[in-house]
Amino acid sequence: MFIAQEFIRTKRDNKPLSKEMIDDFIKGVMDETVTNEHISAFAMAVFFNSLDMDERTFLTQAMRDSGNVLQWDNLNGPVVDKHSTGGVGDVVSLMLGPILSACGAYVPMISGRGLGHTGGTLDKFESIIGYNVTPDDQLFAKVVKECGVAIIGQTSSLAPADKRIYSIRDTTSTVESVAMISSSILAKKLAEGLDALCLDVKVGSGAFMPTYEKSKELAQSIVTIANKAGVKCEAVLTDMNQVLASTAGNAVEVFEAVEYLMNKNINPRLHAVTKALCSSSLVIAGLYKTEEQAGKKVEEVLKNGKALEIFSKMVNMLGGPLDFVEKYDTYLTKAPIIRPIYAQQTGIVESMNTIEIGMAVVGLGGGRMKPSDKIDHSVGFSQMIKLGEKVDSQTPIAFVHAKDEDTFKFAEQKVLNALKIGDKAPKIQEIYETVTYDENQK
C-alpha cells in the first residue's frame, strides 16, 4: 500500500526512490489521493536533495504515461522534435520544423506560450489569422502525416500529472530544480512518441538558467534521461547574450521567419543556430551520418523552396490563409507606431541585457507576466542592433513597433538601458558546445 508520507520521508532523508514508489506517487497525483500538500513537500525535498538519473527517468516516464502517448504508424521516416529553453527573438522553431520535414523527418512539435521575458512559439503562430494551435487529435495526426510537421499547443491529454505538479511547484518556490525541470520538459516531449529529440539550451544574459554551468547541467540531465527512456537525444548550448533574430515580438518574428524561408532576409546569427540544431536533429535521427552532410541538405531545402512550401501547407492545413506565404506582409498585423531608436553616444555595442529587451516586449504588450494576460501580436522590435556593431546618433539601433506614445517611450528607454556602449568589440559566438549521452552519468 502506498503511503505518501513515507514516500516523502524517503526523499527527505535522501534515500533512493524505486520505480514502483514513483509510479504509485504519480498514480496518486492523478486520482488525487496524493494531496497538494504531499506534492509540495515532495517538491521541496527534491529541491534540496535532488534526484539521481534513474529517479529522474522513472519520474519522467511515469508523468509521460499519466496521459496519452502518441503513436505514429506507417511513417516512412523518424519522428523528431526540438525543445528550446527559451529566449528573446528565438524564432528557430518556425523554420526548423519545415526544414526537418523537407529533409525526411516527421515533426509533431508541441510548443508553449511565452511567459516572462521569453517569447512563445504559439503566440507567434497566432499572429497568423485563422491558425489553429489547438486542433483535435485527428487533424493533428493528418497534418503531421501529410506535411511532415505540425506545430501546435499541448493538449490536456499529454502528461497531465506534470501539469498538476508544475502548478504547485510554481507557487511553492521549487521551480528552480534541475531534476524537476528536466522531468517536466521531457514528460511532455516523450509523450509525442519521438524517436529523437534535439535540445537547444540557451546560455547568457537572456537565458533561463543563470550560469553557463547550470545550463550545461540542465543539458546533461535532459540528454541522459531521454536516452535512458529510449529516445536519442543531444543538446546544443547556444548563445543568448543578445537577441537571436533581427526581431523580437510575434508578428515581426513570423515576418522574419517567412523571409528566412524565402531566402530573402537571412540573419547570419539566426541561421548558424537554426542550421546547427537542424543538423544535430537529422544526425541523431539517423537520416545522415555527419553534421556536414546534414548541413548541406538543410541548405538545399532552403534554396530550392521545399521548406517554404511545407511551411505554407502546414499553415493552411491548420486554418491559416491559403496564400499566407505570398501575402504575409498583408496578413500580419502592424502596430500604429513604427519608429526608430537612436543611441545617445557614439561607440561599439559591448554588451546587451537580453532579459531587459524581452521585458520591453512584454511592456509593449507583446508578452505576458501571467498566463491569463492577453497578447498584442503587432508590437515588438525589428532591425535590432547586434553586439560588436558601431552606433551613433544618426543610425537606428532598432525600430519599435508600439501601440501608442507611452509604450514607445517605455520601450525606447528599456532598450537604451539594456545596451552598454564602449570602444571594444566583444567576442561573439553562436554555438558553444554539444552535449552528448554519457552512459556513466549518475
Side-chain angles (χ1 to χ4, degrees), residues 71-374:
Q71 303 291 325
W72 301 102
D73 300 319
N74 304 317
L75 298 181
N76 58 352
V79 181
V80 187
D81 196 5
K82 182 268 303 182
H83 177 79
S84 169
T85 56
V88 183
D90 183 7
V91 68
V92 171
S93 292
L94 278 68
M95 296 93 73
L96 176 139
I99 290 170
L100 292 183
S101 170
C103 293
Y106 289 85
V107 189
M109 188 179 288
I110 308 290
S111 296
R113 299 189 181 279
L115 192 61
H117 78 280
T118 63
T121 297
L122 297 188
D123 301 321
K124 303 182 209 306
F125 272 109
E126 285 187 332
S127 300
I128 302 173
I129 185 170
Y131 191 101
N132 181 13
V133 300
T134 55
D136 61 35
D137 291 346
Q138 285 184 323
L139 178 57
F140 178 43
K142 177 181 173 68
V143 178
V144 171
K145 289 175 181 177
E146 293 186 16
C147 285
V149 56
I151 304 177
I152 68 164
Q154 183 185 358
T155 67
S156 59
S157 66
L158 292 181
D162 171 69
K163 187 173 183 180
R164 185 180 174 204
I165 293 170
Y166 183 84
S167 68
I168 294 169
R169 287 170 55 216
D170 192 35
T171 57
T172 56
S173 297
T174 53
V175 169
E176 299 90 348
S177 159
V178 168
M180 296 292 276
I181 293 168
S182 304
S183 294
S184 179
I185 289 171
L186 278 174
K188 296 183 283 287
K189 285 297 177 183
L190 300 191
E192 295 175 5
L194 301 179
D195 297 309
L197 173 67
C198 182
L199 188 68
D200 178 9
V201 180
K202 303 299 185 184
V203 175
S205 67
F208 170 67
M209 303 304 283
T211 64
Y212 188 97
E213 290 72 25
K214 277 290 182 183
S215 291
K216 187 170 181 179
E217 180 188 348
L218 177 62
Q220 190 67 68
S221 175
I222 295 177
V223 167
T224 301
I225 297 166
N227 279 279
K228 280 180 172 287
V231 174
K232 293 178 182 178
C233 177
E234 66 181 31
V236 183
L237 270 62
T238 67
D239 182 69
M240 192 43 70
N241 278 306
Q242 58 179 315
V243 176
L244 178 57
S246 301
T247 53
N250 294 294
V252 289
E253 288 189 42
V254 175
F255 188 98
E256 182 167 2
V258 174
E259 293 204 334
Y260 178 102
L261 291 169
M262 294 173 72
N263 291 289
K264 188 174 179 180
N265 178 24
I266 295 184
N267 179 319
R269 176 177 158 76
L270 178 62
H271 182 57
V273 172
T274 302
K275 184 177 178 180
L277 293 169
C278 287
S279 299
S280 173
S281 301
L282 293 169
V283 171
I284 60 174
L287 286 169
Y288 293 89
K289 291 184 178 180
T290 68
E291 292 199 4
E292 183 180 3
Q293 292 174 341
K296 287 180 179 178
K297 184 64 176 179
V298 168
E299 296 285 0
E300 178 187 317
V301 299
L302 282 170
K303 289 175 182 175
N304 66 19
K306 189 172 181 183
L308 177 67
E309 180 185 332
I310 289 171
F311 178 86
S312 178
K313 185 177 180 181
M314 177 189 73
V315 167
N316 179 240
M317 287 191 72
L318 286 170
L322 180 62
D323 59 350
F324 176 74
V325 163
E326 290 76 19
K327 298 180 179 179
Y328 63 99
D329 189 33
T330 302
Y331 284 117
L332 292 170
T333 57
K334 295 178 178 63
I337 295 173
I338 302 175
R339 193 181 302 161
I341 306 173
Y342 296 96
Q344 297 175 331
Q345 65 189 95
T346 299
I348 296 171
V349 182
E350 289 187 349
S351 67
M352 180 184 293
N353 186 331
T354 315
I355 285 182
E356 288 302 302
I357 303 292
M359 293 311 298
V361 174
V362 176
L364 284 165
R368 54 174 70 83
M369 290 305 298
K370 57 183 186 295
S372 59
D373 289 347
K374 291 190 176 180

Side-chain angles (χ1 to χ4, degrees), residues 16-33:
L17 298 170
S18 68
K19 184 180 187 303
E20 291 71 24
M21 294 168 72
I22 291 174
D23 285 345
D24 286 341
F25 173 69
I26 295 301
K27 287 175 185 175
V29 169
M30 291 304 298
D31 65 21
E32 298 189 359
T33 55

